[in-house]
């Protein structure tokens, strides 16, 4: 995962730059587990949404089980608002928990919203401040990821 500064012409983060892990637990256990790991790192849960249930309920079309764990860290939010209040539209952070028919794992995936702020050039006059925001967010989210991976073995049956 690269946190190097980008410019407005830098392409969006690739799948390789995103955080991804798999969990050997049920989907129903994985969603609150991932939510709790974010909360233990001082992220506030904004909402947990079962995207699969919403799509099927509104469109009548089934999709694989997918949940969005939407969280926000107060310091990240403060720093983003301090740069430009319009950046709030790109917050909060979202982690997706999903299953695929190809394997028996539950996947956990996160792409950095603050990298998107930087890479899309949403605050072109705040270069260094945005770089610091990306770095701080990356540090916090890497800590969440390390904790998810470290506690996953113990979390079966949560």
């Amino acid at each position: 995962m690269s946190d190097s500064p980008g410019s407005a012409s830098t392409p969006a983060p690739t799948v390789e730059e995103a955080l991804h892990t798999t969990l050997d637990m049920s989907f129903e256990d994985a969603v609150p587990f991932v939510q709790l790991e974010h909360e233990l790192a001082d992220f506030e849960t904004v909402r947990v949404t079962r995207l699969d249930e919403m799509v099927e309920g509104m469109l009548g079309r089934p999709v694989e089980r997918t949940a969005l764990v939407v969280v926000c860290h107060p310091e990240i939010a403060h720093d983003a608002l301090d740069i430009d209040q319009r950046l709030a539209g790109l917050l909060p952070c979202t982690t997706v928990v999903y299953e695929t028919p190809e394997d028996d794992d539950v996947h956990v995936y996160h792409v950095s919203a603050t990298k998107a702020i930087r890479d899309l050039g949403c605050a072109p006059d705040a270069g260094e401040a945005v770089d610091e925001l990306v770095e701080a967010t990356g540090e916090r989210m890497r800590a969440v990821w390390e904790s998810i991976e470290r506690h996953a073995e113990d979390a079966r049956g949560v």
Side-chain angles (χ1 to χ4, degrees), residues 84-100:
D84 187 330
Q85 284 182 291
R86 294 174 292 184
L87 297 182
L90 292 167
L91 300 177
C93 300
T94 302
T95 297
V96 63
V97 180
Y98 65 95
E99 294 180 320
T100 66

Side-chain angles (χ1 to χ4, degrees), residues 6-68:
S7 66
S9 64
T10 302
T14 63
V15 172
E16 293 78 28
E17 292 177 315
L19 295 171
H20 175 261
T21 193
T22 57
L23 301 175
D24 184 19
M25 64 178 71
S26 73
F27 178 84
E28 297 303 328
D29 289 339
V31 174
F33 169 73
V34 169
Q35 177 186 358
L36 179 61
E37 289 295 338
H38 283 80
E39 290 175 357
L40 290 172
D42 297 327
F43 283 84
E44 175 75 22
T45 298
V46 175
R47 180 147 178 114
V48 175
T49 298
R50 285 290 303 268
L51 198 56
D52 57 318
E53 292 173 354
M54 185 269 297
V55 169
E56 186 164 6
M58 295 182 81
L59 300 179
R61 296 183 214 151
V63 295
E64 296 299 324
R65 289 200 293 186
T66 305
L68 302 178

Side-chain angles (χ1 to χ4, degrees), residues 78-87 117 123 126 129-131 133:
H78 174 271
D79 293 349
L81 292 170
D82 204 34
I83 293 168
D84 187 330
Q85 284 182 291
R86 294 174 292 184
L87 297 182
I117 288 169
V130 171
D131 291 341
L133 181 67

